[in-house]
Amino acid sequence: MAVWAIADLHLSFGTPNKEMDPFGEEWIGHADKVKKEWEASIDEEDLILLAGDLSWAMHITEAVADLEWLHALPGTKVIIRGNHDYWWESLKKLKQHLPPSIHPVHNTTFNWQGISIAGARLWDTEELRFGQHITLSANTISSMPQIDNKKAEEALTKQRKIFARELNRLELSLKELDPHATTRIAMTHYPPISYNLQPSQTADLLERYNIDICVFGHLHSVDKRAKIFGKRKGIEYHLTSCDYLNFQPLRILSR
């Protein structure tokens, strides 16, 4: 049995006008790449952690095609919400549409064979910056909107409010972890810590709840030559955005 992780699949089987091809050559046919690597590595008895941005769908009915595609792949899947998962609604409505192999963590935990999993989306925070390891084209940089000081201050206030709410949601989930679990895993969509493992509010929270492994995504176009993340105070931090992993699920635990 093994535990795997991969994030930011950005599937679009239910919204065919939202393919990832415009984001670069490596994204062309990316779902086929993921499926090939998944089926070559993952067995039916394995667990797969999907840390957000699963589907471009706007509504749950549009996401069904993407969820069924995931369901057809081997293993038990655990999902959390990403910032682009607009289709993610209440837990009750989610459960009405999720196939049996897919399990959401939403102010809850998921327990499986001695492993207890908590999670939350999180949000941007000025504590963490990754620009020096993100490769952006000149066209992307020139197209970024310019924001005046007043709007920037308002945006920062809003960002801090959302982050505080998400941090609270993460703690609600962490409180539900199985105290008898042999391995405690946290899933976040946004990174919980800086690339060089400096202290952060989220890292402090994960340490308080004795997390062993944290998986996350959200970051794209990351310089793969850079030595980023790793282990701090007993917690392994894994960036699992699918383009960063070359569309290959990452094995994070074996038994």
mmCIF file of all heavy atoms in Angstrom, residues 134-181:
data_model
loop_
_atom_site.group_PDB
_atom_site.id
_atom_site.type_symbol
_atom_site.label_atom_id
_atom_site.label_comp_id
_atom_site.label_asym_id
_atom_site.label_seq_id
_atom_site.Cartn_x
_atom_site.Cartn_y
_atom_site.Cartn_z
ATOM 1 N N ILE A 134 9.408 31.476 -9.639
ATOM 2 C CA ILE A 134 8.353 31.340 -10.639
ATOM 3 C C ILE A 134 8.844 31.955 -11.937
ATOM 4 O O ILE A 134 9.286 33.108 -11.962
ATOM 5 C CB ILE A 134 7.055 32.044 -10.196
ATOM 6 C CG1 ILE A 134 6.590 31.505 -8.843
ATOM 7 C CG2 ILE A 134 5.983 31.888 -11.254
ATOM 8 C CD1 ILE A 134 6.164 30.063 -8.844
ATOM 9 N N THR A 135 8.783 31.210 -13.026
ATOM 10 C CA THR A 135 9.234 31.717 -14.318
ATOM 11 C C THR A 135 8.028 32.228 -15.100
ATOM 12 O O THR A 135 7.156 31.459 -15.483
ATOM 13 C CB THR A 135 9.938 30.611 -15.114
ATOM 14 O OG1 THR A 135 9.057 29.493 -15.255
ATOM 15 C CG2 THR A 135 11.199 30.152 -14.394
ATOM 16 N N LEU A 136 7.994 33.539 -15.319
ATOM 17 C CA LEU A 136 6.899 34.157 -16.064
ATOM 18 C C LEU A 136 7.445 34.751 -17.355
ATOM 19 O O LEU A 136 8.551 35.301 -17.387
ATOM 20 C CB LEU A 136 6.241 35.269 -15.238
ATOM 21 C CG LEU A 136 5.524 34.834 -13.953
ATOM 22 C CD1 LEU A 136 5.018 36.059 -13.207
ATOM 23 C CD2 LEU A 136 4.384 33.892 -14.261
ATOM 24 N N SER A 137 6.655 34.653 -18.406
ATOM 25 C CA SER A 137 7.074 35.238 -19.677
ATOM 26 C C SER A 137 6.922 36.753 -19.636
ATOM 27 O O SER A 137 6.197 37.302 -18.817
ATOM 28 C CB SER A 137 6.210 34.680 -20.816
ATOM 29 O OG SER A 137 4.881 35.155 -20.697
ATOM 30 N N ALA A 138 7.607 37.437 -20.526
ATOM 31 C CA ALA A 138 7.507 38.892 -20.614
ATOM 32 C C ALA A 138 6.078 39.317 -20.920
ATOM 33 O O ALA A 138 5.590 40.328 -20.417
ATOM 34 C CB ALA A 138 8.455 39.413 -21.688
ATOM 35 N N ASN A 139 5.361 38.515 -21.737
ATOM 36 C CA ASN A 139 3.974 38.830 -22.068
ATOM 37 C C ASN A 139 3.089 38.769 -20.830
ATOM 38 O O ASN A 139 2.198 39.600 -20.644
ATOM 39 C CB ASN A 139 3.445 37.867 -23.125
ATOM 40 C CG ASN A 139 4.068 38.098 -24.483
ATOM 41 O OD1 ASN A 139 4.553 39.188 -24.762
ATOM 42 N ND2 ASN A 139 4.054 37.078 -25.330
ATOM 43 N N THR A 140 3.332 37.786 -19.974
ATOM 44 C CA THR A 140 2.543 37.656 -18.751
ATOM 45 C C THR A 140 2.772 38.850 -17.845
ATOM 46 O O THR A 140 1.836 39.425 -17.295
ATOM 47 C CB THR A 140 2.908 36.361 -18.009
ATOM 48 O OG1 THR A 140 2.650 35.249 -18.861
ATOM 49 C CG2 THR A 140 2.099 36.217 -16.737
ATOM 50 N N ILE A 141 4.030 39.222 -17.673
ATOM 51 C CA ILE A 141 4.358 40.348 -16.790
ATOM 52 C C ILE A 141 3.743 41.642 -17.305
ATOM 53 O O ILE A 141 3.164 42.429 -16.543
ATOM 54 C CB ILE A 141 5.889 40.485 -16.662
ATOM 55 C CG1 ILE A 141 6.463 39.251 -15.966
ATOM 56 C CG2 ILE A 141 6.264 41.751 -15.906
ATOM 57 C CD1 ILE A 141 7.965 39.187 -15.979
ATOM 58 N N SER A 142 3.825 41.883 -18.618
ATOM 59 C CA SER A 142 3.299 43.134 -19.177
ATOM 60 C C SER A 142 1.784 43.201 -19.099
ATOM 61 O O SER A 142 1.207 44.292 -19.124
ATOM 62 C CB SER A 142 3.753 43.280 -20.640
ATOM 63 O OG SER A 142 3.219 42.246 -21.434
ATOM 64 N N SER A 143 1.114 42.049 -18.996
ATOM 65 C CA SER A 143 -0.351 42.040 -18.957
ATOM 66 C C SER A 143 -0.903 42.160 -17.541
ATOM 67 O O SER A 143 -2.116 42.251 -17.364
ATOM 68 C CB SER A 143 -0.883 40.753 -19.602
ATOM 69 O OG SER A 143 -0.519 39.623 -18.833
ATOM 70 N N MET A 144 -0.040 42.147 -16.533
ATOM 71 C CA MET A 144 -0.516 42.242 -15.154
ATOM 72 C C MET A 144 -1.085 43.629 -14.886
ATOM 73 O O MET A 144 -0.480 44.649 -15.240
ATOM 74 C CB MET A 144 0.634 41.970 -14.175
ATOM 75 C CG MET A 144 1.084 40.526 -14.151
ATOM 76 S SD MET A 144 2.429 40.259 -12.968
ATOM 77 C CE MET A 144 2.613 38.483 -13.083
ATOM 78 N N PRO A 145 -2.257 43.726 -14.265
ATOM 79 C CA PRO A 145 -2.875 45.032 -14.020
ATOM 80 C C PRO A 145 -2.095 45.847 -12.999
ATOM 81 O O PRO A 145 -1.507 45.311 -12.061
ATOM 82 C CB PRO A 145 -4.264 44.655 -13.472
ATOM 83 C CG PRO A 145 -4.083 43.285 -12.881
ATOM 84 C CD PRO A 145 -3.061 42.610 -13.741
ATOM 85 N N GLN A 146 -2.069 47.139 -13.211
ATOM 86 C CA GLN A 146 -1.430 48.053 -12.273
ATOM 87 C C GLN A 146 -2.480 48.532 -11.261
ATOM 88 O O GLN A 146 -3.565 48.957 -11.639
ATOM 89 C CB GLN A 146 -0.829 49.253 -13.017
ATOM 90 C CG GLN A 146 0.227 48.864 -14.047
ATOM 91 C CD GLN A 146 1.401 48.144 -13.414
ATOM 92 O OE1 GLN A 146 1.974 48.605 -12.430
ATOM 93 N NE2 GLN A 146 1.772 47.011 -14.002
ATOM 94 N N ILE A 147 -2.154 48.449 -9.972
ATOM 95 C CA ILE A 147 -3.105 48.797 -8.916
ATOM 96 C C ILE A 147 -2.580 49.984 -8.128
ATOM 97 O O ILE A 147 -1.417 49.988 -7.707
ATOM 98 C CB ILE A 147 -3.317 47.599 -7.967
ATOM 99 C CG1 ILE A 147 -3.783 46.372 -8.766
ATOM 100 C CG2 ILE A 147 -4.335 47.929 -6.892
ATOM 101 C CD1 ILE A 147 -3.932 45.125 -7.937
ATOM 102 N N ASP A 148 -3.437 51.007 -7.942
ATOM 103 C CA ASP A 148 -2.986 52.165 -7.165
ATOM 104 C C ASP A 148 -2.933 51.807 -5.681
ATOM 105 O O ASP A 148 -3.407 50.749 -5.252
ATOM 106 C CB ASP A 148 -3.898 53.383 -7.410
ATOM 107 C CG ASP A 148 -5.341 53.141 -6.986
ATOM 108 O OD1 ASP A 148 -5.558 52.487 -5.949
ATOM 109 O OD2 ASP A 148 -6.253 53.625 -7.680
ATOM 110 N N ASN A 149 -2.343 52.693 -4.883
ATOM 111 C CA ASN A 149 -2.081 52.391 -3.471
ATOM 112 C C ASN A 149 -3.352 52.091 -2.680
ATOM 113 O O ASN A 149 -3.373 51.183 -1.844
ATOM 114 C CB ASN A 149 -1.332 53.563 -2.822
ATOM 115 C CG ASN A 149 0.094 53.663 -3.331
ATOM 116 O OD1 ASN A 149 0.646 52.684 -3.840
ATOM 117 N ND2 ASN A 149 0.693 54.838 -3.205
ATOM 118 N N LYS A 150 -4.418 52.855 -2.938
ATOM 119 C CA LYS A 150 -5.660 52.651 -2.203
ATOM 120 C C LYS A 150 -6.246 51.276 -2.493
ATOM 121 O O LYS A 150 -6.650 50.548 -1.575
ATOM 122 C CB LYS A 150 -6.675 53.731 -2.565
ATOM 123 C CG LYS A 150 -7.980 53.612 -1.780
ATOM 124 C CD LYS A 150 -8.944 54.729 -2.134
ATOM 125 C CE LYS A 150 -10.254 54.581 -1.346
ATOM 126 N NZ LYS A 150 -11.224 55.653 -1.697
ATOM 127 N N LYS A 151 -6.273 50.910 -3.774
ATOM 128 C CA LYS A 151 -6.818 49.607 -4.143
ATOM 129 C C LYS A 151 -5.936 48.476 -3.616
ATOM 130 O O LYS A 151 -6.430 47.418 -3.228
ATOM 131 C CB LYS A 151 -6.970 49.507 -5.657
ATOM 132 C CG LYS A 151 -8.101 50.364 -6.213
ATOM 133 C CD LYS A 151 -8.265 50.161 -7.715
ATOM 134 C CE LYS A 151 -9.428 50.986 -8.247
ATOM 135 N NZ LYS A 151 -9.589 50.818 -9.720
ATOM 136 N N ALA A 152 -4.633 48.712 -3.602
ATOM 137 C CA ALA A 152 -3.717 47.703 -3.089
ATOM 138 C C ALA A 152 -3.951 47.471 -1.600
ATOM 139 O O ALA A 152 -3.939 46.331 -1.124
ATOM 140 C CB ALA A 152 -2.276 48.126 -3.340
ATOM 141 N N GLU A 153 -4.201 48.559 -0.863
ATOM 142 C CA GLU A 153 -4.469 48.437 0.568
ATOM 143 C C GLU A 153 -5.776 47.695 0.822
ATOM 144 O O GLU A 153 -5.864 46.853 1.716
ATOM 145 C CB GLU A 153 -4.523 49.830 1.202
ATOM 146 C CG GLU A 153 -4.657 49.809 2.710
ATOM 147 C CD GLU A 153 -4.595 51.206 3.315
ATOM 148 O OE1 GLU A 153 -4.082 52.122 2.652
ATOM 149 O OE2 GLU A 153 -5.086 51.360 4.449
ATOM 150 N N GLU A 154 -6.793 48.001 0.023
ATOM 151 C CA GLU A 154 -8.078 47.319 0.159
ATOM 152 C C GLU A 154 -7.938 45.832 -0.161
ATOM 153 O O GLU A 154 -8.517 44.977 0.528
ATOM 154 C CB GLU A 154 -9.104 47.964 -0.776
ATOM 155 C CG GLU A 154 -9.519 49.371 -0.360
ATOM 156 C CD GLU A 154 -10.396 50.045 -1.405
ATOM 157 O OE1 GLU A 154 -10.538 49.481 -2.520
ATOM 158 O OE2 GLU A 154 -10.935 51.133 -1.115
ATOM 159 N N ALA A 155 -7.152 45.530 -1.192
ATOM 160 C CA ALA A 155 -6.951 44.141 -1.572
ATOM 161 C C ALA A 155 -6.216 43.375 -0.472
ATOM 162 O O ALA A 155 -6.542 42.218 -0.181
ATOM 163 C CB ALA A 155 -6.177 44.060 -2.882
ATOM 164 N N LEU A 156 -5.229 44.022 0.147
ATOM 165 C CA LEU A 156 -4.475 43.373 1.217
ATOM 166 C C LEU A 156 -5.358 43.110 2.428
ATOM 167 O O LEU A 156 -5.266 42.043 3.055
ATOM 168 C CB LEU A 156 -3.276 44.239 1.607
ATOM 169 C CG LEU A 156 -2.343 43.656 2.670
ATOM 170 C CD1 LEU A 156 -1.783 42.308 2.217
ATOM 171 C CD2 LEU A 156 -1.210 44.631 2.965
ATOM 172 N N THR A 157 -6.228 44.064 2.752
ATOM 173 C CA THR A 157 -7.154 43.877 3.876
ATOM 174 C C THR A 157 -8.072 42.681 3.615
ATOM 175 O O THR A 157 -8.297 41.848 4.502
ATOM 176 C CB THR A 157 -7.989 45.152 4.092
ATOM 177 O OG1 THR A 157 -7.113 46.236 4.417
ATOM 178 C CG2 THR A 157 -9.000 44.962 5.220
ATOM 179 N N LYS A 158 -8.581 42.601 2.406
ATOM 180 C CA LYS A 158 -9.455 41.482 2.039
ATOM 181 C C LYS A 158 -8.689 40.159 2.084
ATOM 182 O O LYS A 158 -9.191 39.152 2.589
ATOM 183 C CB LYS A 158 -10.033 41.707 0.642
ATOM 184 C CG LYS A 158 -10.981 40.612 0.192
ATOM 185 C CD LYS A 158 -11.545 40.911 -1.198
ATOM 186 C CE LYS A 158 -12.486 39.798 -1.652
ATOM 187 N NZ LYS A 158 -13.038 40.081 -3.018
ATOM 188 N N GLN A 159 -7.459 40.176 1.582
ATOM 189 C CA GLN A 159 -6.631 38.974 1.579
ATOM 190 C C GLN A 159 -6.392 38.472 2.995
ATOM 191 O O GLN A 159 -6.508 37.270 3.265
ATOM 192 C CB GLN A 159 -5.289 39.287 0.906
ATOM 193 C CG GLN A 159 -4.263 38.181 0.977
ATOM 194 C CD GLN A 159 -2.942 38.609 0.386
ATOM 195 O OE1 GLN A 159 -2.858 38.925 -0.814
ATOM 196 N NE2 GLN A 159 -1.886 38.635 1.205
ATOM 197 N N ARG A 160 -6.077 39.383 3.903
ATOM 198 C CA ARG A 160 -5.830 38.994 5.295
ATOM 199 C C ARG A 160 -7.076 38.405 5.941
ATOM 200 O O ARG A 160 -6.984 37.443 6.715
ATOM 201 C CB ARG A 160 -5.347 40.210 6.088
ATOM 202 C CG ARG A 160 -3.929 40.648 5.737
ATOM 203 C CD ARG A 160 -3.588 41.967 6.378
ATOM 204 N NE ARG A 160 -2.192 42.337 6.152
ATOM 205 C CZ ARG A 160 -1.697 43.545 6.406
ATOM 206 N NH1 ARG A 160 -2.484 44.513 6.883
ATOM 207 N NH2 ARG A 160 -0.417 43.791 6.179
ATOM 208 N N LYS A 161 -8.237 38.954 5.612
ATOM 209 C CA LYS A 161 -9.493 38.453 6.170
ATOM 210 C C LYS A 161 -9.762 37.030 5.702
ATOM 211 O O LYS A 161 -10.139 36.153 6.502
ATOM 212 C CB LYS A 161 -10.637 39.380 5.771
ATOM 213 C CG LYS A 161 -11.987 38.990 6.352
ATOM 214 C CD LYS A 161 -13.057 39.995 5.954
ATOM 215 C CE LYS A 161 -14.417 39.609 6.526
ATOM 216 N NZ LYS A 161 -15.479 40.584 6.133
ATOM 217 N N ILE A 162 -9.578 36.784 4.399
ATOM 218 C CA ILE A 162 -9.823 35.449 3.859
ATOM 219 C C ILE A 162 -8.819 34.452 4.431
ATOM 220 O O ILE A 162 -9.178 33.328 4.808
ATOM 221 C CB ILE A 162 -9.754 35.454 2.319
ATOM 222 C CG1 ILE A 162 -10.858 36.343 1.741
ATOM 223 C CG2 ILE A 162 -9.884 34.032 1.768
ATOM 224 C CD1 ILE A 162 -10.764 36.543 0.240
ATOM 225 N N PHE A 163 -7.552 34.866 4.527
ATOM 226 C CA PHE A 163 -6.536 33.967 5.060
ATOM 227 C C PHE A 163 -6.851 33.570 6.503
ATOM 228 O O PHE A 163 -6.733 32.395 6.879
ATOM 229 C CB PHE A 163 -5.154 34.614 4.978
ATOM 230 C CG PHE A 163 -4.067 33.771 5.581
ATOM 231 C CD1 PHE A 163 -3.564 32.674 4.899
ATOM 232 C CD2 PHE A 163 -3.558 34.065 6.837
ATOM 233 C CE1 PHE A 163 -2.566 31.878 5.459
ATOM 234 C CE2 PHE A 163 -2.567 33.282 7.404
ATOM 235 C CZ PHE A 163 -2.070 32.184 6.718
ATOM 236 N N ALA A 164 -7.264 34.543 7.323
ATOM 237 C CA ALA A 164 -7.607 34.246 8.721
ATOM 238 C C ALA A 164 -8.761 33.259 8.807
ATOM 239 O O ALA A 164 -8.754 32.338 9.629
ATOM 240 C CB ALA A 164 -7.956 35.540 9.456
ATOM 241 N N ARG A 165 -9.744 33.422 7.923
ATOM 242 C CA ARG A 165 -10.888 32.504 7.905
ATOM 243 C C ARG A 165 -10.434 31.103 7.506
ATOM 244 O O ARG A 165 -10.853 30.102 8.108
ATOM 245 C CB ARG A 165 -11.926 33.014 6.913
ATOM 246 C CG ARG A 165 -13.213 32.185 6.866
ATOM 247 C CD ARG A 165 -14.127 32.711 5.779
ATOM 248 N NE ARG A 165 -13.574 32.479 4.455
ATOM 249 C CZ ARG A 165 -13.932 33.142 3.359
ATOM 250 N NH1 ARG A 165 -14.858 34.097 3.435
ATOM 251 N NH2 ARG A 165 -13.393 32.875 2.192
ATOM 252 N N GLU A 166 -9.562 31.021 6.504
ATOM 253 C CA GLU A 166 -9.084 29.720 6.044
ATOM 254 C C GLU A 166 -8.204 29.039 7.096
ATOM 255 O O GLU A 166 -8.252 27.814 7.249
ATOM 256 C CB GLU A 166 -8.311 29.877 4.731
ATOM 257 C CG GLU A 166 -9.176 30.226 3.546
ATOM 258 C CD GLU A 166 -10.105 29.084 3.151
ATOM 259 O OE1 GLU A 166 -9.685 27.914 3.225
ATOM 260 O OE2 GLU A 166 -11.256 29.363 2.778
ATOM 261 N N LEU A 167 -7.416 29.828 7.809
ATOM 262 C CA LEU A 167 -6.577 29.255 8.863
ATOM 263 C C LEU A 167 -7.455 28.666 9.966
ATOM 264 O O LEU A 167 -7.154 27.596 10.514
ATOM 265 C CB LEU A 167 -5.644 30.328 9.429
ATOM 266 C CG LEU A 167 -4.412 29.840 10.187
ATOM 267 C CD1 LEU A 167 -3.492 29.026 9.287
ATOM 268 C CD2 LEU A 167 -3.649 31.030 10.771
ATOM 269 N N ASN A 168 -8.547 29.333 10.254
ATOM 270 C CA ASN A 168 -9.498 28.816 11.230
ATOM 271 C C ASN A 168 -10.135 27.515 10.745
ATOM 272 O O ASN A 168 -10.305 26.562 11.524
ATOM 273 C CB ASN A 168 -10.579 29.863 11.511
ATOM 274 C CG ASN A 168 -11.587 29.390 12.549
ATOM 275 O OD1 ASN A 168 -11.250 29.149 13.702
ATOM 276 N ND2 ASN A 168 -12.841 29.260 12.138
ATOM 277 N N ARG A 169 -10.467 27.461 9.460
ATOM 278 C CA ARG A 169 -11.038 26.242 8.904
ATOM 279 C C ARG A 169 -10.041 25.085 8.976
ATOM 280 O O ARG A 169 -10.424 23.940 9.238
ATOM 281 C CB ARG A 169 -11.460 26.476 7.450
ATOM 282 C CG ARG A 169 -12.727 27.302 7.313
ATOM 283 C CD ARG A 169 -13.073 27.552 5.866
ATOM 284 N NE ARG A 169 -14.382 28.168 5.735
ATOM 285 C CZ ARG A 169 -14.865 28.697 4.618
ATOM 286 N NH1 ARG A 169 -14.114 28.675 3.521
ATOM 287 N NH2 ARG A 169 -16.064 29.229 4.577
ATOM 288 N N LEU A 170 -8.773 25.395 8.740
ATOM 289 C CA LEU A 170 -7.764 24.357 8.844
ATOM 290 C C LEU A 170 -7.696 23.817 10.267
ATOM 291 O O LEU A 170 -7.628 22.601 10.473
ATOM 292 C CB LEU A 170 -6.403 24.893 8.412
ATOM 293 C CG LEU A 170 -5.230 23.914 8.535
ATOM 294 C CD1 LEU A 170 -5.469 22.654 7.712
ATOM 295 C CD2 LEU A 170 -3.923 24.590 8.109
ATOM 296 N N GLU A 171 -7.757 24.708 11.253
ATOM 297 C CA GLU A 171 -7.684 24.239 12.637
ATOM 298 C C GLU A 171 -8.922 23.417 12.997
ATOM 299 O O GLU A 171 -8.810 22.420 13.730
ATOM 300 C CB GLU A 171 -7.513 25.393 13.613
ATOM 301 C CG GLU A 171 -7.329 24.910 15.041
ATOM 302 C CD GLU A 171 -6.711 25.917 15.981
ATOM 303 O OE1 GLU A 171 -6.783 27.127 15.674
ATOM 304 O OE2 GLU A 171 -6.161 25.498 17.010
ATOM 305 N N LEU A 172 -10.084 23.798 12.499
ATOM 306 C CA LEU A 172 -11.287 22.999 12.748
ATOM 307 C C LEU A 172 -11.089 21.570 12.248
ATOM 308 O O LEU A 172 -11.495 20.606 12.904
ATOM 309 C CB LEU A 172 -12.495 23.632 12.053
ATOM 310 C CG LEU A 172 -13.043 24.919 12.650
ATOM 311 C CD1 LEU A 172 -14.137 25.491 11.746
ATOM 312 C CD2 LEU A 172 -13.592 24.671 14.048
ATOM 313 N N SER A 173 -10.467 21.441 11.096
ATOM 314 C CA SER A 173 -10.206 20.123 10.542
ATOM 315 C C SER A 173 -9.143 19.389 11.357
ATOM 316 O O SER A 173 -9.295 18.199 11.672
ATOM 317 C CB SER A 173 -9.751 20.266 9.079
ATOM 318 O OG SER A 173 -9.513 19.006 8.491
ATOM 319 N N LEU A 174 -8.068 20.076 11.721
ATOM 320 C CA LEU A 174 -6.989 19.455 12.494
ATOM 321 C C LEU A 174 -7.488 18.923 13.837
ATOM 322 O O LEU A 174 -7.012 17.889 14.320
ATOM 323 C CB LEU A 174 -5.856 20.457 12.719
ATOM 324 C CG LEU A 174 -5.057 20.872 11.471
ATOM 325 C CD1 LEU A 174 -4.182 22.068 11.784
ATOM 326 C CD2 LEU A 174 -4.212 19.710 10.954
ATOM 327 N N LYS A 175 -8.436 19.616 14.426
ATOM 328 C CA LYS A 175 -8.986 19.178 15.716
ATOM 329 C C LYS A 175 -9.698 17.835 15.614
ATOM 330 O O LYS A 175 -9.880 17.148 16.625
ATOM 331 C CB LYS A 175 -9.957 20.236 16.253
ATOM 332 C CG LYS A 175 -9.274 21.485 16.802
ATOM 333 C CD LYS A 175 -10.306 22.488 17.297
ATOM 334 C CE LYS A 175 -9.628 23.715 17.906
ATOM 335 N NZ LYS A 175 -10.620 24.722 18.368
ATOM 336 N N GLU A 176 -10.118 17.479 14.390
ATOM 337 C CA GLU A 176 -10.854 16.237 14.189
ATOM 338 C C GLU A 176 -9.943 15.051 13.862
ATOM 339 O O GLU A 176 -10.430 13.943 13.643
ATOM 340 C CB GLU A 176 -11.872 16.421 13.055
ATOM 341 C CG GLU A 176 -12.931 17.481 13.335
ATOM 342 C CD GLU A 176 -13.773 17.149 14.562
ATOM 343 O OE1 GLU A 176 -14.160 15.968 14.694
ATOM 344 O OE2 GLU A 176 -14.016 18.048 15.381
ATOM 345 N N LEU A 177 -8.638 15.262 13.804
ATOM 346 C CA LEU A 177 -7.726 14.168 13.496
ATOM 347 C C LEU A 177 -7.846 13.044 14.515
ATOM 348 O O LEU A 177 -8.046 13.284 15.708
ATOM 349 C CB LEU A 177 -6.284 14.676 13.468
ATOM 350 C CG LEU A 177 -5.876 15.505 12.240
ATOM 351 C CD1 LEU A 177 -4.559 16.212 12.511
ATOM 352 C CD2 LEU A 177 -5.777 14.637 10.997
ATOM 353 N N ASP A 178 -7.686 11.834 14.037
ATOM 354 C CA ASP A 178 -7.750 10.659 14.901
ATOM 355 C C ASP A 178 -6.543 10.648 15.839
ATOM 356 O O ASP A 178 -5.398 10.577 15.374
ATOM 357 C CB ASP A 178 -7.760 9.402 14.034
ATOM 358 C CG ASP A 178 -7.836 8.115 14.845
ATOM 359 O OD1 ASP A 178 -7.852 8.184 16.092
ATOM 360 O OD2 ASP A 178 -7.873 7.043 14.217
ATOM 361 N N PRO A 179 -6.747 10.736 17.149
ATOM 362 C CA PRO A 179 -5.610 10.760 18.078
ATOM 363 C C PRO A 179 -4.798 9.471 18.081
ATOM 364 O O PRO A 179 -3.671 9.449 18.573
ATOM 365 C CB PRO A 179 -6.281 10.998 19.438
ATOM 366 C CG PRO A 179 -7.681 10.518 19.272
ATOM 367 C CD PRO A 179 -8.041 10.793 17.846
ATOM 368 N N HIS A 180 -5.356 8.393 17.536
ATOM 369 C CA HIS A 180 -4.667 7.106 17.516
ATOM 370 C C HIS A 180 -4.001 6.816 16.163
ATOM 371 O O HIS A 180 -3.432 5.736 15.979
ATOM 372 C CB HIS A 180 -5.651 5.987 17.841
ATOM 373 C CG HIS A 180 -6.367 6.185 19.146
ATOM 374 N ND1 HIS A 180 -5.731 6.158 20.372
ATOM 375 C CD2 HIS A 180 -7.679 6.431 19.411
ATOM 376 C CE1 HIS A 180 -6.596 6.372 21.335
ATOM 377 N NE2 HIS A 180 -7.786 6.538 20.784
ATOM 378 N N ALA A 181 -4.059 7.774 15.243
ATOM 379 C CA ALA A 181 -3.482 7.562 13.913
ATOM 380 C C ALA A 181 -1.967 7.402 13.999
ATOM 381 O O ALA A 181 -1.293 8.064 14.805
ATOM 382 C CB ALA A 181 -3.832 8.732 12.995
#
